[in-house]
């Protein structure tokens, strides 16, 4: 009887241990998005957005060393990172060009923008970094191919500052992409 | 006084007057002996008629020198000819040999020439042509026609045989590449062998051109042939066009033969084309028998060894095969059909000699032991012409040479189309044995059942139902489109599932590192915090 009481006490003491509540983060544009009538782009459409497989997890990824990463256990994305990246890029590109990029299957004659994110993480020494490619396909031919690689220092310690820095890097990427979307001469009117 | 008596002494002296008759006697004896010793021999020459012969007038000449005189002409014992008795000059003795020829020279008008015109004035005479035999002879048979070639002329005398007379006759020219090198001396027909026999003479030095491989052919007249390239006219010399002639040569593709002896026999071909069709002299007959149709196999069809023609088909021995079958008491058993073929060593790059023929026969004998078989192949798919093929089949059943009538038989094997036909026939027999009638009847029943099913109202409504089902399926799929409610719900569910799985993964990781964590609480895992570097 005494032994059973001892085990019950130990179990209750285990259940009574402290737990850490996870934090959830969202990738969204920081720009003001007033209510307005939007027009879809005729010349360009959004194709595929590929995310490096190591990023495709719930936890934010932090680079421990050059070849070692660690996904956070308590600092998680509120949604799959693919959805966050796609939403942020389409919003900022549309904001920059004044036209919404529609899915490629809805704009058959448009030049298709394909994007690939190879790196989007933070480092222990307080930096966020990105490595991305985008290319334009017109009439089954690649007409433009670009790379964007940049790191950005965090404003403060912690994951929240890291998400802010990553958001800022993605916004820069969106601007670069928007700047490359120049209509072909025949369609420039 | 003494009387003196006269002494009478008898004189025994022969009167010199007797010398005269003695001298006359000696001279007479000398003359008789000289006459006897210098007198030539008497010979007899038999002729069919005494045409041109006169006793005491007709002379014997050799190279236009008188060699004797006809003393007497009389009928022979059988009264079917005449015998001329001739007093020959002594110097003619070496010329009176066994094969010495005599003929009456008189004016003659022939196709090619006119001879003996000088005898119209001087009278006929007998010409002597000395022979080459060593035996002396005193009785001769005169020639009715003057020999075209002297008996001692240098050259080569040959015999030709032909199964038809054509236009070649005695006196015609023998040509070599169009040049006159000899002549046809005689032409006779032998009723026994039913062949025309010619004797020809090739003058020296052209007789060296004759060897065992040469062929003689008739070049008389003008040969006209037509073909795809138009008309083709072939002629020999003007003599041969007018009077006929013979030429000879080694056909293309045949090796030079050996030397030939005098009086050798050759065949006289109708034309060079005839030689090309059958250019070889030596060959061997064989019989190959087949258990299937020989339709398309005609005389003259090729006999080939791995594609090289080595002979030809002579004929199908159907009648002989039937007779053999009846003799063997096997009538009605479908005996094989024997085919007679002729194999020629000359076609196998061997010399056209009897020795080569022996080699070929031995090769075939050994070959059969090692799988050499005859087969009938189709040479032309359009015309259906067949030929005999000889080849080695090492896997063929053991067999050996046999005999059929007087011929050697080569074992046969069925190959090619014949084998294919047999297989097709076997397949058709198998198909024929199938219960096709029952199968078709059953199939008809099934078709009727199927038709009734198709005519059923519910079956006919099936496409409409299918259309409805497809439309519903489309609706269901569209409800799962990325922007649909279902898709959104699905995404949310997947996200929740991911989180649960992540938590579960974290839990299993913790338990694997610290199994007692279930009972003894562990400190919560702390994420590394990125810190701003102070630079």
């Amino acid at each position: 009887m005494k032994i059973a009481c001892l085990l019950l006490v130990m179990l209750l003491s285990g259940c009574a241990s402290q737990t850490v509540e996870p934090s959830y983060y969202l990738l969204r544009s920081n720009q003001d998005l007033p209510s307005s009538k939007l027009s879809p782009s005729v010349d360009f459409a959004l194709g595929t957005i590929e995310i490096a497989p190591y990023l495709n997890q719930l936890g934010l990824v932090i680079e421990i060393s050059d070849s070692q990463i660690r996904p956070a256990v308590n600092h998680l994305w509120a949604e799959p990172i693919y959805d966050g990246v796609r939403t942020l890029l389409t919003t900022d590109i549309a904001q920059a060009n004044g036209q919404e990029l529609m899915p490629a299957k809805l704009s058959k004659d448009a030049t298709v923008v394909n994007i690939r994110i190879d790196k989007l993480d933070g480092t222990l020494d307080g930096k966020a970094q990105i490595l991305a490619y985008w290319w334009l396909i017109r009439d089954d031919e690649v007409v433009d191919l670009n790379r964007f690689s940049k790191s950005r220092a965090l404003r403060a310690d912690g994951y929240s500052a890291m998400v802010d820095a990553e958001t800022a890097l993605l916004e820069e990427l969106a601007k670069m992409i928007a700047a490359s979307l120049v209509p072909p001469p025949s369609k420039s009117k | 006084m003494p009387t003196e008596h006269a002494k009478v002494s008898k004189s025994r002296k022969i009167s010199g007057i007797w010398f005269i008759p003695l001298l006359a006697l000696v001279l007479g004896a000398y003359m008789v002996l000289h006459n006897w010793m210098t007198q030539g021999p008497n010979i007899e020459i038999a002729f069919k008629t005494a045409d041109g012969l006169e006793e005491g007038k007709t002379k014997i000449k050799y190279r236009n020198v008188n060699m004797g005189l006809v003393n007497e002409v009389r009928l022979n014992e059988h009264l079917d000819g005449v015998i001329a008795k001739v007093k020959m000059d002594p110097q003619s003795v070496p010329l009176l040999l066994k094969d010495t020829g005599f003929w009456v020279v008189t004016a003659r008008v022939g196709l090619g020439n006119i001879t003996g015109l000088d005898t119209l004035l001087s009278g006929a005479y007998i010409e002597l042509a000395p022979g080459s035999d060593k035996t002396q002879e005193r009785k001769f048979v005169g020639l009715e026609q003057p020999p075209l070639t002297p008996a001692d002329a240098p050259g080569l005398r040959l015999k030709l045989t032909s199964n038809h007379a054509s236009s070649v006759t005695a006196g015609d020219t023998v040509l070599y590449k169009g040049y006159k090198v000899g002549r046809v001396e005689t032409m006779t027909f032998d009723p026994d062998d039913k062949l025309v026999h010619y004797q020809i003479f090739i003058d020296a030095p052209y007789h060296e051109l004759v060897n065992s491989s040469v062929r003689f052919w008739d070049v008389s007249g003008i040969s006209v042939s037509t073909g795809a390239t138009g008309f083709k006219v072939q002629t020999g010399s003007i003599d041969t066009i007018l009077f006929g002639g013979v030429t000879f040569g080694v056909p293309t593709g045949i090796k030079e033969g050996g030397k030939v002896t005098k009086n050798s026999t050759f065949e006289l071909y109708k034309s060079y084309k005839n030689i090309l069709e059958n250019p070889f002299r030596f060959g061997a007959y064989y019989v190959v028998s087949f258990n299937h149709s020989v339709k398309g196999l005609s005389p003259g069809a090729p006999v080939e060894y791995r594609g090289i023609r080595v002979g030809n088909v002579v004929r199908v021995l159907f009648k002989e095969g039937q007779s053999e079958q009846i003799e063997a008491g096997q009538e009605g058993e479908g005996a094989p059909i024997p085919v007679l073929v002729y194999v020629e060593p000359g076609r196998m790059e061997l010399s056209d000699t009897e020795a080569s023929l022996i080699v070929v026969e031995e090769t075939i004998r050994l070959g059969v032991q090692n799988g050499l078989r005859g087969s009938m192949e189709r040479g032309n798919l359009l015309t259906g012409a067949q030929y005999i093929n000889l080849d080695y089949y090492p896997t063929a059943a053991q067999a050996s040479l046999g005999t059929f009538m007087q011929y050697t038989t080569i074992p046969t094997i069925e190959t090619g189309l014949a084998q294919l036909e047999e297989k097709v026939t076997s397949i058709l027999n198998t198909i024929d044995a199938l219960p096709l009638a029952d199968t078709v009847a059953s199939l008809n029943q099934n078709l009727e059942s199927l038709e009734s099913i198709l005519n059923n109202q519910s079956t006919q409504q099936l496409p409409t139902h299918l259309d409805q089902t497809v439309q519903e399926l489309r609706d269901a799929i569209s409800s799962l489109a990325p922007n649909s409610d279902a898709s959104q719900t699905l995404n949310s569910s997947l996200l929740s599932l991911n989180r649960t799985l992540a938590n579960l993964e974290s839990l299993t990781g913790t338990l694997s590192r610290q199994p007692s964590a279930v009972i003894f609480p562990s400190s919560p895992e702390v994420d590394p915090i990125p810190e701003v570097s102070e630079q």
Side-chain angles (χ1 to χ4, degrees):
Chain A
M1 187 64 186
K2 287 181 179 177
I3 295 173
C5 289
L6 181 62
L7 285 173
L8 183 60
V9 169
M10 289 174 67
L11 187 59
L12 290 173
S13 64
C15 291
S17 64
Q18 280 190 335
T19 57
V20 178
E21 278 297 317
S23 303
Y24 294 97
Y25 302 90
L26 195 60
L27 274 175
R28 285 292 183 272
S29 175
N30 293 321
Q31 298 192 36
D32 292 335
L33 299 173
S35 298
S36 65
K37 185 176 175 60
L38 299 175
S39 60
S41 172
V42 179
D43 297 322
F44 298 96
L46 186 62
T48 59
I49 295 177
E50 298 174 40
I51 307 287
Y54 84 95
L55 295 171
N56 194 17
Q57 49 192 317
L58 293 176
L60 274 68
V61 176
I62 193 160
E63 194 175 278
I64 306 297
S65 66
D66 286 345
S67 59
Q68 191 177 5
I69 58 120
R70 181 168 174 181
V73 177
N74 301 311
H75 301 275
L76 308 175
W77 293 111
E79 61 186 354
I81 189 171
Y82 168 81
D83 294 306
V85 168
R86 185 179 183 90
T87 303
L88 191 151
L89 290 176
T90 51
T91 303
D92 278 31
I93 291 170
Q95 192 67 14
N97 281 352
Q99 290 183 322
E100 284 285 334
L101 288 182
M102 304 306 288
K105 62 182 181 182
L106 300 178
S107 307
K108 289 185 179 177
D109 296 330
T111 301
V112 177
V113 184
N114 292 316
I115 303 164
R116 193 177 83 215
I117 309 290
D118 276 4
K119 178 182 277 190
L120 182 63
D121 52 26
T123 60
L124 288 175
D125 59 353
K127 283 190 293 186
Q129 51 192 12
I130 187 171
L131 174 61
Y133 297 84
W134 77 95
W135 61 96
L136 308 181
I137 295 178
R138 185 181 302 141
D139 298 330
D140 294 332
E141 283 187 13
V142 176
V143 295
D144 193 18
L145 176 62
N146 302 281
R147 178 170 59 201
F148 178 68
S149 176
K150 194 170 184 180
S151 64
R152 191 183 181 94
L154 305 187
R155 290 183 177 175
D157 297 344
Y159 283 90
S160 181
M162 193 178 91
V163 172
D164 290 343
E166 288 179 359
T167 301
L169 287 170
L170 284 170
E171 285 177 340
E172 277 191 62
L173 173 63
K175 285 178 184 171
M176 296 287 288
I177 293 171
S180 68
L181 300 183
V182 180
S186 58
K187 295 182 178 179
S188 57
K189 292 178 181 178
Chain B
M1 202 177 118
T3 308
E4 291 185 356
H5 293 282
K7 289 183 179 177
V8 179
S9 58
K10 287 184 178 180
S11 175
R12 288 209 174 256
K13 289 175 70 175
I14 299 172
S15 174
I17 195 68
W18 289 106
F19 178 76
I20 295 170
L22 185 63
L23 181 64
L25 187 64
V26 170
L27 285 173
Y30 170 76
M31 289 175 69
V32 168
L33 184 62
H34 180 265
N35 186 43
W36 181 77
M37 288 184 71
T38 57
Q39 198 171 36
N42 288 312
I43 63 168
E44 291 183 1
I45 308 171
F47 290 101
K48 283 189 176 176
T49 68
D51 189 20
L53 301 179
E54 288 185 55
E55 293 180 357
K57 281 190 175 178
T58 304
K59 296 171 181 173
I60 305 289
K61 290 186 177 181
Y62 173 60
R63 295 186 187 273
N64 222 16
V65 175
N66 289 335
M67 286 287 145
L69 188 68
V70 175
N71 288 334
E72 183 184 351
V73 178
R74 60 177 175 81
L75 290 171
N76 63 15
E77 292 177 357
H78 305 291
L79 306 177
D80 57 354
V82 298
I83 292 175
K85 289 193 172 183
V86 181
K87 184 70 175 176
M88 296 299 292
D89 198 84
Q91 65 175 334
S92 69
V93 171
L95 304 174
L96 300 176
L97 304 172
K98 194 173 183 179
D99 56 347
T100 297
F102 295 91
W103 67 93
V104 179
V105 178
T106 183
R108 293 175 194 271
V109 180
L111 280 173
N113 55 6
I114 300 172
T115 59
L117 280 179
D118 55 332
T119 61
L120 292 173
L121 298 174
S122 63
Y125 63 90
I126 295 174
E127 179 72 36
L128 179 152
S132 58
D133 202 303
K134 304 294 181 188
T135 313
Q136 285 281 320
E137 183 65 50
R138 293 295 179 263
K139 289 185 177 180
F140 300 91
V141 177
L143 302 171
E144 295 306 313
Q145 296 287 337
L148 295 172
T149 311
D152 58 347
L156 182 64
R157 188 163 278 109
L158 300 169
K159 291 176 180 173
L160 305 181
T161 59
S162 174
N163 54 15
H164 90 296
S166 69
S167 55
V168 177
T169 57
D172 286 351
T173 312
V174 176
L175 303 169
Y176 181 78
K177 293 185 184 290
Y179 185 75
K180 182 178 177 180
V181 296
R183 65 206 65 81
V184 179
E185 292 183 323
T186 63
M187 169 192 170
T188 55
F189 179 75
D190 188 344
D192 292 334
D193 59 12
K194 298 182 180 63
L195 292 174
V196 180
H197 293 260
Y198 297 94
Q199 180 174 290
I200 66 167
F201 189 83
I202 313 290
D203 296 323
Y206 311 115
H207 68 290
E208 299 287 347
L209 299 168
V210 180
N211 58 60
S212 60
S213 294
V214 300
R215 303 287 184 272
F216 291 84
W217 68 93
D218 185 359
V219 287
S220 304
I222 300 171
S223 169
V224 180
S225 59
T226 61
T229 55
F231 285 94
K232 194 175 183 180
V233 180
Q234 284 185 309
T235 66
S237 65
I238 191 71
D239 285 354
T240 62
I241 295 171
L242 294 175
F243 309 120
V246 172
T247 189
F248 66 92
V250 178
T252 308
I254 295 183
K255 289 183 176 179
E256 292 280 332
K259 279 197 170 184
V260 295
T261 56
K262 67 177 182 180
N263 292 325
S264 294
T265 303
F266 290 83
E267 184 178 351
L268 176 62
Y269 292 86
K270 287 181 189 173
S271 65
Y272 187 64
K273 184 184 172 187
N274 196 238
I275 292 173
L276 292 179
E277 288 169 359
N278 192 11
F280 303 104
R281 295 173 65 195
F282 294 94
Y285 288 96
Y286 286 94
V287 167
V288 284
S289 299
F290 297 99
N291 273 318
H292 52 77
S293 169
V294 294
K295 185 180 179 184
L297 188 70
S298 52
V303 175
E304 296 185 355
Y305 169 69
R306 294 183 174 176
I308 299 166
R309 184 167 185 164
V310 296
N312 52 277
V313 172
V314 179
R315 67 188 179 91
V316 176
L317 303 175
F318 180 67
K319 184 180 172 185
E320 292 83 349
Q322 292 294 102
S323 303
E324 287 265 323
Q325 194 181 1
I326 292 168
E327 283 178 14
Q330 297 172 336
E331 57 269 35
E333 295 182 9
I337 298 176
V339 177
L340 183 65
V341 299
Y342 187 65
V343 178
E344 295 159 308
R347 293 183 183 276
M348 306 175 199
E349 295 294 321
L350 297 171
S351 57
D352 190 21
T353 60
E354 200 157 359
S356 300
L357 187 60
I358 293 169
V359 170
V360 168
E361 288 174 339
E362 184 63 12
T363 303
I364 290 177
R365 189 183 68 78
L366 292 173
V368 167
Q369 294 176 6
N370 295 322
L372 181 70
R373 299 287 183 274
S375 62
M376 193 185 300
E377 309 283 352
R378 198 172 294 276
N380 189 321
L381 289 175
L382 291 177
T383 62
Q386 308 248 35
Y387 68 97
I388 304 295
N389 186 45
L390 298 175
D391 206 341
Y392 283 89
Y393 300 92
T395 56
Q398 195 65 30
S400 59
L401 293 172
T403 54
F404 179 84
M405 298 170 61
Q406 70 269 37
Y407 306 113
T408 303
T409 60
I410 298 174
T412 57
I413 192 169
E414 291 187 1
T415 60
L417 280 179
Q419 197 175 30
L420 192 63
E421 283 173 9
E422 190 182 358
K423 286 182 178 175
V424 169
T425 305
S426 171
I427 292 168
L428 289 176
N429 288 338
T430 307
I431 293 172
D432 194 38
L434 291 173
L436 283 178
D438 296 342
T439 308
V440 169
S442 174
L443 194 61
N444 280 335
Q445 286 179 356
N446 292 338
L447 286 173
E448 286 173 5
S449 303
L450 187 63
E451 192 176 0
S452 66
I453 290 168
L454 290 173
N455 289 333
N456 193 308
Q457 191 177 0
S458 60
T459 308
Q460 289 179 345
Q461 289 175 349
L462 198 59
T464 310
H465 293 158
L466 277 174
D467 279 348
Q468 289 176 356
T469 308
V470 169
Q471 186 57 44
E472 289 168 3
L473 193 60
R474 280 179 184 158
D475 294 343
I477 291 170
S478 63
S479 67
L480 292 172
N483 299 322
S484 65
D485 294 341
S487 174
Q488 293 290 339
T489 309
L490 191 62
N491 280 341
S492 300
S493 303
L494 284 174
L495 185 60
S496 302
L497 187 61
N498 275 341
R499 290 187 194 287
T500 309
L501 286 173
N503 291 334
L504 191 60
E505 187 182 2
S506 173
L507 177 62
T508 54
T510 303
L511 288 176
S512 65
R513 289 191 298 272
Q514 188 181 352
S516 60
V518 177
I519 299 172
F520 303 103
S522 61
S523 58
E525 191 174 351
V526 178
D527 292 327
I529 302 297
E531 295 176 350
V532 177
S533 58
E534 296 176 356
Q535 288 182 353

